Amino acid sequence: MMDDTDRRILALLAENARLSLKELAAATELSSPSVAERLRKLEERGVIDAFTIDVNPHQIGYSLQAIVRVRPLPGQLHIVERLIQEMPQCVECDKVTGDDCFIVRLYLRSMEELDTLLDGIAERAQTNTSLVKATPVKRRLPGLLP
Amino acid sequence: MMDDTDRRILALLAENARLSLKELAAATELSSPSVAERLRKLEERGVIDAFTIDVNPHQIGYSLQAIVRVRPLPGQLHIVERLIQEMPQCVECDKVTGDDCFIVRLYLRSMEELDTLLDGIAERAQTNTSLVKATPVKRRLPGLLP
DNA sequence: TATGAAATATTTTTAAC
DNA sequence: GTTAAAAATATTTCATA
């Protein structure tokens, strides 16, 4: 279903999603219409979920990043889930197995903002916060071997 | 430094990074050259880190997703960090405060692959694995208020 | 310093193979 | 999957607020 050329296109777009069809064509030794058609199919099949941007949180005022494990109290799961979804500081949330129910990534302007945010769910959930000190692996594609 | 128009451009590109200058210009009621100039500056200032794609892990063979907290044993921190970085299944890794040192997001083809991967660092680190059951918030921009 | 208009150059799309 | 022509778009230049 996906060949080496498709994988090459994905890897190129992961680095620069605004590459023109012409540039993609040159890199894959195909013609532009051919690349356009492959792109269309990759989107249609849902391999490419979205063309998007990575924004540097620091440059838009978010000086801190935290990963918070959230364990809702009995009966509070759905409310907590909704509260998390509505936090503008939440950029990612997964529902997971194990003692914790949610793992949330927050962008924060200050420690005070973190405190306020967690206070807002303190009555409904236990939380465990880790502050991000560094990012050894920035979001990237996984291996694309067949 | 960043005005409402810039924020609008960021929000539009977060949804579709391949929007043409013309489309961005229409949406912001600016001319194409004007949008091009703003884009150039957003990149130059590092507000936009990258134009990239979101790939659906299922469509490229990764049926499972796990978030693993990793706590290296004394003296093993740097080796463990390197081992994580070299895992093609690792799509994200943060170094954090607290008992755990690293929080890693893995894409996996099978449970067996998870087992093999964790066995590979078992002598150097304690790990705690959560399997992703759902994703209430998919990666998104944080609030962009000034 | 940021914008817009117009001209030019480039790219994308379409159609035929 | 390709080529080549038509259509759409991007870029450059320059004038302007």
Side-chain angles (χ1 to χ4, degrees), chain A residues 118-142:
Chain A
L118 296 182
D119 276 357
I121 58 168
E123 289 177 347
R124 305 180 187 280
Q126 279 184 274
T127 61
N128 184 309
T129 301
S130 302
L131 292 172
V132 174
K133 294 185 291 182
T135 301
V137 179
K138 272 185 85 165
R139 211 176 65 87
R140 68 181 181 194
L141 282 191

Side-chain angles (χ1 to χ4, degrees), chain B residues 70-81 99 101-102 121-126:
Chain B
V70 179
R71 188 178 186 167
L73 299 174
Q76 304 294 308
L77 190 126
H78 288 99
I79 301 181
V80 169
E81 178 166 347
D99 288 341
C101 190
F102 299 109
I121 58 168
E123 288 177 348
R124 306 180 187 281
Q126 281 184 274

Side-chain angles (χ1 to χ4, degrees), chain B residues 2 32 60 71 84 96 129 134:
Chain B
M2 192 165 64
S32 297
I60 53 171
R71 188 178 186 167
I84 292 171
V96 298
T129 301

Side-chain angles (χ1 to χ4, degrees), chain A residues 4 13 116 136:
Chain A
D4 282 347
L13 289 173
T116 307

Side-chain angles (χ1 to χ4, degrees), chain A residues 3-89:
Chain A
D3 63 8
D4 282 347
T5 305
D6 282 342
R7 279 185 278 273
R8 181 117 185 76
I9 291 173
L10 289 183
L12 288 163
L13 289 173
E15 275 186 14
N16 181 4
R18 282 183 80 81
L19 246 29
S20 69
L21 295 178
K22 203 191 171 193
E23 289 167 310
L24 288 169
T28 54
E29 303 188 288
L30 253 54
S31 65
S32 299
S34 199
V35 170
E37 177 64 5
R38 277 168 180 270
L39 252 187
R40 198 188 60 69
K41 284 183 185 160
L42 285 169
E43 279 190 78
E44 186 185 73
R45 277 160 37 208
V47 175
I48 296 177
D49 247 358
F51 296 90
T52 184
I53 52 175
D54 285 344
V55 169
N56 184 332
H58 289 96
Q59 298 295 330
I60 53 172
Y62 294 99
S63 51
L64 290 172
Q65 207 171 324
I67 296 177
V68 183
R69 292 182 278 134
V70 179
R71 187 178 186 167
L73 299 175
Q76 304 292 309
L77 189 127
H78 288 99
I79 301 180
V80 168
E81 179 166 346
R82 201 154 43 74
L83 289 173
I84 292 171
Q85 284 170 331
E86 285 167 1
M87 292 177 184
Q89 299 93 341

Side-chain angles (χ1 to χ4, degrees), chain B residues 44-55:
Chain B
E44 186 184 73
R45 281 164 28 212
V47 175
I48 297 176
D49 247 359
F51 295 91
T52 184
I53 52 175
D54 285 345
V55 168

